[in-house]
Amino acid sequence: MMMRHFRLRVHVYALAWAMLLSFLVQSVPAQNNSPTATAARPDISFKVSMSRPYTHLLEVEMRVGRAGNGPLDLLMPVWTPGSYLVREFERHVQDFAAKDASGRELAWSKTNKNTWRIQTGGASDFTVSYRVYANELTVRTNELNDQHAFWNNAALLMYPNGQLAAPSTVTVVPPLGWKIATGLPEVSNQKNTFSAENFDILYDSPFEVSNFGVLNFEVKGVPHRIVIDGEGNYEAERMRRDVQKIVETESALMGEIPYKNYTFLLHLRPTGGGGLEHLNSTALTFPRFAFRPDSGYRGFLGLVAHEFFHLWNVKRIRPDALGPFDYTGENYTKLLWVAEGGTEYYSGLVLRRAGIVSDKEYLAQLARGFQGLQNTPGRLEMSAEDASFDAWIKYYRADENSVNSQISYYDKGAILCALLDLEIRRRSRNTKSLDDVMRFLYTDFYKKGRNYTPEDFQRVAEQMAGGSLEQFFSRYVRGRDELDYNASLEAAGLRLETGRGDAATAHRPYLGADLGQDGERLIVRRLYAGGPAYDQGLNTGDQIVALDNMRVNNEGFTARLAEKKPGDVLHLTVFRSDDLRTMDIKLGERAEGDYRIVTVAQPTPEQMRLYQNWLGASLESK
């Protein structure tokens, strides 16, 4: 604004520039205010050792060269991309020390929770050493024991302030007999050494170090490997074949393979599960004996399909705030319903397109998703955009009231993308789909170095639909209106049945509480807003001692509740903390039948064509 007034007198011009410079200085993030923020690009190398795995301590040596001769700040990320919670990785750091090239100890101090300031004493080359306690196996944390090492570099390696664009190398010193797997490329003629172009790539490349097994396959000449740590009841060849089908299906959907190689890092453990996406790898955890029956195996393939699709949706097709990253705090976006929910939608659809599940199995899964959302009172309290924005404080910190106050951007996002896909197909007369939206975002945003905004996503969806989708986005994405499932399903000759007219499921008694057995104690785990238990004074944490003056456990309570009718009164004896009390709860009514997606009575040829194009199968008339 001030640059337009070219004829201002000199002192006014100078004053304007001073005000502008003051504003710019104040706008720079706090982490860039140190003397090292604008230093020349340094040489950075790491060495990660594990000399005593049983201590769970990963040993890190960081060498920094050409760092300048002033103080230098080293920062540890507080979160890792793809997992939207500040996890405070710096809390596991211990035994920090710094030395110059001659071995002289350098003074250092912490300036905040995750920043170590080195007083270099004029030395431009120095070495930092520290250890990180690693005893938590998730896809976003670190674990070291006598069986293996797994780590995320964001949870292990520091970066010089202002130098996220600097390249680096990582040398791993494994125990005898252990191998190394990572998505980073190896450095030629340097044993067990890997390179990263910048810290975003470094932090996007986890490591597995163990005596793991490997399954290899190629798609379009590009090598892929499944690195498996742990034993389980999987069939190796079946896994190799089906994961290859997923890769082929998704790469055909998006039109190309944007990497030189890909690594699936799979941990098999007694319990737990999840995944975290990366540019050319993914970390997966799955229960070791959950590959059978086939329903469990399909759950594993759904996890693979989800995380693999992320290599496009999130890692390259990036929502507004997700890259370049601020590793020192939250990165807010309203688009996780697309980034995560959209990926979840495609994970199920890809299994269908790959021939792994039938169209009927896919529709049954979709109906279960509808039912899960409708059984969540929080759907009326939180929009998909709000759930995305508040992920940092809500999604990973769910409590007993979360079901009443919020929704999952995964679950509702997947449903919204399914309905949006059908809406685009209907409006475009089956010539466009959500596939076209994803491909457009890939070519017109990722390939042009741009992130997309909520407005961009709506605009691209409208472009494919051939008209306004404002009502859909304002009511269902930004708003909290009940979803009209049948309005979208009708385009494919389908409708949703909820079972409310089914005599077998109508007039069932409804308490509106989830109970759990804790040893000999029957505990109220969750209450549903608007339900009889919620409205009549039962609390989460209450211990139910007796029902109608008779001692009861979870199994007995469930059996006796099934004998009741809506309107009957339960006489409960409960402990609340240490106080014994009684209360009467009048039961409500709710149909509990499964939701089903069925074919309309007489589907039209247009509906049948859309169904075929969507699910790759013929629509069967009733």
Side-chain angles (χ1 to χ4, degrees), residues 334-485:
K334 294 181 178 181
L335 285 163
L336 293 183
W337 73 272
V338 179
E340 293 292 353
T343 300
E344 184 61 13
Y345 168 58
Y346 273 106
S347 71
L349 196 59
V350 162
L351 295 191
R352 168 61 208 137
R353 292 180 180 179
I356 294 170
V357 301
S358 69
D359 57 324
K360 298 298 184 290
E361 288 172 324
Y362 173 75
L363 291 176
Q365 174 189 329
L366 190 60
R368 287 192 294 271
F370 293 168
Q371 185 166 8
L373 180 63
Q374 292 306 121
N375 288 343
T376 303
R379 75 187 186 282
L380 303 176
E381 303 294 328
M382 174 179 277
S383 72
E385 283 197 349
D386 289 342
S388 301
F389 193 84
D390 279 345
W392 296 91
I393 59 173
K394 290 184 179 291
Y395 182 77
Y396 292 94
R397 291 173 171 164
D399 58 32
E400 66 277 5
N401 190 53
S402 294
V403 69
N404 299 318
S405 62
Q406 65 189 74
I407 51 94
S408 162
Y409 50 81
Y410 283 88
D411 298 341
K412 187 171 183 180
I415 292 170
L416 286 173
C417 286
L419 302 184
L420 180 60
D421 192 5
L422 289 170
E423 189 68 12
I424 293 172
R425 291 172 186 271
R426 180 183 70 82
R427 292 194 181 206
S428 68
R429 296 187 177 275
N430 205 22
T431 61
K432 299 291 183 182
S433 70
L434 193 63
D435 296 2
D436 296 286
V437 174
M438 301 310 297
R439 287 190 288 261
F440 187 94
L441 292 173
Y442 182 67
T443 57
D444 263 51
F445 283 82
Y446 163 64
K447 289 194 172 182
K448 294 180 180 178
R450 299 188 293 160
N451 293 14
Y452 70 98
T453 66
E455 294 76 18
D456 291 327
F457 185 81
Q458 179 175 339
R459 176 179 54 79
V460 175
E462 290 174 337
Q463 179 178 332
M464 299 308 163
S468 173
L469 292 168
E470 176 59 25
Q471 187 177 38
F472 182 94
F473 280 86
S474 62
R475 292 182 62 193
Y476 303 143
V477 175
R478 296 186 291 274
R480 297 166 291 175
D481 288 8
E482 289 279 29
L483 300 180
D484 189 346
Y485 300 106

Side-chain angles (χ1 to χ4, degrees), residues 231-236 239 268 286-293 297:
E231 300 297 327
N233 63 346
Y234 64 92
E235 299 176 37
M239 179 189 289
L268 301 182
F286 196 74
R288 60 174 53 178
F289 295 119
F291 294 90
R292 299 175 191 162
Y297 180 59

Side-chain angles (χ1 to χ4, degrees), residues 42-331:
D43 291 329
I44 302 169
S45 64
F46 298 93
K47 182 169 70 174
V48 180
S49 306
M50 49 211 83
S51 62
R52 297 190 295 167
Y54 53 87
T55 67
H56 313 297
L57 290 170
L58 288 165
E59 303 147 15
V60 179
E61 182 179 276
M62 178 182 185
R63 295 182 179 273
V64 182
R66 296 190 303 177
N69 55 13
L72 185 134
D73 287 354
L74 298 180
L75 287 83
M76 173 78 84
V78 301
W79 72 290
T80 190
S83 183
Y84 307 102
L85 178 68
V86 171
R87 297 185 182 275
E88 310 293 20
F89 296 131
E90 71 280 356
R91 63 195 171 97
H92 294 302
V93 174
Q94 65 184 65
D95 305 322
F96 187 92
K99 297 180 180 180
D100 65 15
S102 67
R104 178 174 59 93
E105 296 280 349
L106 299 177
W108 61 271
S109 62
K110 289 195 71 174
T111 61
N112 59 36
K113 65 181 181 180
N114 67 318
T115 304
W116 285 256
R117 177 163 293 172
I118 314 299
Q119 301 297 333
T120 62
S124 61
D125 295 2
F126 63 91
T127 299
V128 164
S129 62
Y130 58 92
R131 297 193 290 176
V132 173
Y133 186 71
N135 196 27
E136 181 184 6
L137 180 61
T138 71
V139 295
R140 54 193 171 261
T141 54
N142 307 330
E143 182 177 70
L144 171 65
N145 54 39
D146 60 359
Q147 298 297 311
H148 88 130
F150 171 78
W151 69 83
N152 286 275
N153 287 319
L156 183 68
L157 304 180
M158 299 181 184
Y159 67 92
N161 189 34
Q163 296 292 349
L164 287 173
S168 62
T169 61
V170 180
T171 300
V172 179
V173 183
L176 184 64
W178 287 13
K179 299 170 288 187
I180 304 167
T182 181
L184 290 176
E186 290 190 67
V187 177
S188 60
N189 301 320
Q190 295 188 45
K191 184 178 180 181
N192 298 337
T193 299
F194 306 84
S195 65
E197 296 175 24
N198 53 56
F199 275 87
D200 285 331
I201 291 177
L202 179 68
Y203 289 154
D204 195 57
S205 306
F207 278 78
E208 169 65 24
V209 184
S210 64
N211 189 22
F212 49 76
V214 180
L215 300 175
N216 294 296
F217 62 90
E218 288 190 0
V219 174
K220 296 183 178 179
V222 177
H224 298 71
R225 59 177 174 169
I226 307 171
V227 170
I228 306 175
D229 178 66
E231 300 297 327
N233 63 346
Y234 64 92
E235 299 176 37
E237 289 308 311
R238 185 185 187 192
M239 179 189 289
R240 185 207 314 268
R241 180 182 67 248
D242 288 339
V243 173
Q244 181 172 346
K245 286 180 182 178
I246 290 169
V247 172
E248 291 170 342
T249 302
E250 293 190 7
S251 58
L253 188 164
M254 293 304 299
E256 67 179 26
I257 295 179
Y259 50 79
K260 296 179 180 179
N261 54 69
Y262 196 91
T263 300
F264 297 89
L265 299 176
L266 174 59
H267 296 108
L268 301 182
R269 295 296 185 269
T271 59
L276 190 64
E277 68 274 7
H278 302 286
L279 278 166
N280 72 333
S281 67
T282 184
L284 307 168
T285 302
F286 196 74
R288 60 174 53 178
F289 295 119
F291 294 90
R292 299 175 191 162
D294 278 352
S295 58
Y297 180 59
R298 286 194 296 271
F300 166 73
L301 294 178
L303 175 64
V304 171
H306 180 105
E307 300 304 333
F308 187 73
F309 193 71
H310 267 316
L311 77 90
W312 291 281
N313 191 25
V314 171
K315 299 313 299 183
R316 289 170 175 83
I317 304 171
R318 291 190 172 192
D320 41 20
L322 298 186
F325 298 107
D326 175 5
Y327 294 99
T328 67
E330 295 86 349
N331 293 229

Side-chain angles (χ1 to χ4, degrees), residues 485-505:
Y485 300 106
N486 282 326
S488 297
L489 290 172
E490 188 269 342
L494 302 170
R495 61 184 173 86
L496 178 66
E497 287 187 351
T498 62
R500 282 181 166 76
D502 188 339
T505 59

